[in-house]
Amino acid sequence: MFRVIQSYKAPDRYLIYGPSGSGKSFYAFMRTRPFQGKRYVIDMDGGAEYLCSAGDKYYSPSNHIEFEKAVRMAISEKPPCIIIDGITTYWASMVGNGIDVAVRRAEQKKQDSSVSAIRIDPGMWSAYKTRMEGLLTELRVSGRNIYLIQRAKEIRPEGGKKEDVFWSPEGPDIPSYAMDTVIFCKAPGNTLVEKVRKNPLPESEGTDKKE
């Protein structure tokens, strides 16, 4: 007796980054057209709702706590595709919370509480990174098609020429390690594949493999 094993396609796990107005969101929605009406869209930046199709679930969290709840809800509902627009804003919300905590502590100790004088405790930075890594790992092993969108910042080396300028994801580089494929959007219609992971995670890690 022979057992027929159904072919299985590993899910897409993309990080799409670039400057504001470069077409990152549009690119993500165009790539996910086969999932129209079944996508789960978490839009931390706001503004991507007009790209959604009828049937897509759209959420616009206002802070990092609501964002994390929306991500875990998406994972639990198991849609075929999850688009997350605003990974940079999620990180900024956590950092902003850390600054607020540091300001309150300084005020309690009657120290200088101006933002310029505030320094976030290194342990808090480490906790934020660990928190972000954990959330992205949950996404990565969920078996869903994942599209993360992250803003980029322009880096100009000191004394460098215009052609020496390059773009880097804004915030920690955790998302670029968490996803299999990294896409840089320089401008609408101008995209560059920067990385494709040669050895994706074993599909046994959280995927719905069928036999």
Side-chain angles (χ1 to χ4, degrees):
M1 181 180 292
F2 295 93
R3 182 174 62 172
V4 177
I5 300 178
Q6 180 179 336
S7 61
Y8 178 80
K9 179 184 179 300
D12 293 330
R13 292 177 281 233
Y14 276 76
L15 170 68
I16 304 164
Y17 81 98
S20 297
S22 60
K24 303 183 294 297
S25 301
F26 183 77
Y27 180 82
F29 276 85
M30 290 303 99
R31 281 201 64 93
T32 57
R33 277 184 294 184
F35 306 113
Q36 278 183 330
K38 300 177 182 178
R39 294 173 292 204
Y40 205 109
V41 181
I42 302 171
D43 183 12
M44 191 81 175
D45 286 340
E49 188 172 9
Y50 80 98
L51 292 168
C52 294
S53 301
D56 289 342
K57 290 189 176 181
Y58 176 85
Y59 294 88
S60 184
S62 60
N63 56 56
H64 62 284
I65 302 295
E66 291 182 6
F67 176 87
E68 291 169 355
K69 287 180 180 178
V71 168
R72 292 191 169 103
M73 186 184 299
I75 293 172
S76 68
E77 292 190 12
K78 297 184 177 181
C81 174
I82 302 173
I83 298 175
I84 297 179
D85 196 342
I87 262 301
T88 309
T89 307
Y90 164 60
W91 174 254
S93 177
M94 280 200 294
V95 172
N97 180 72
I99 291 174
D100 289 342
V101 170
V103 167
R104 288 196 296 272
R105 286 176 179 172
E107 289 174 344
Q108 289 170 357
K109 295 178 180 180
K110 297 183 179 180
Q111 298 173 343
D112 186 356
S113 60
S114 62
V115 174
S116 60
I118 292 300
R119 297 289 181 271
I120 296 180
D121 181 83
M124 193 173 289
W125 277 116
S126 178
Y128 287 157
K129 286 190 174 183
T130 300
R131 186 169 175 169
M132 188 180 208
E133 285 174 346
L135 191 68
L136 294 183
T137 298
E138 288 180 47
L139 277 167
R140 180 175 170 76
V141 302
S142 67
R144 308 301 103 197
N145 293 284
I146 307 295
Y147 289 77
L148 297 182
I149 300 171
Q150 185 175 13
R151 287 198 301 272
K153 58 183 177 182
E154 187 179 69
I155 306 296
R156 185 183 294 272
E158 187 175 352
K161 300 177 181 179
K162 184 177 181 181
E163 54 269 25
D164 296 328
V165 170
F166 64 95
W167 292 89
S168 174
E170 189 175 332
D173 56 8
I174 297 166
S176 64
Y177 288 103
M179 299 295 106
D180 296 329
T181 304
V182 178
I183 303 287
F184 173 55
C185 289
K186 187 173 183 180
N190 185 350
T191 59
L192 173 67
V193 178
E194 291 193 339
K195 181 198 84 170
V196 178
R197 192 186 300 272
K198 292 182 180 179
N199 298 302
L201 280 183
E203 297 313 321
S204 60
E205 295 193 31
T207 58
D208 297 334
K209 191 169 182 177
K210 298 179 180 179
E211 292 188 355

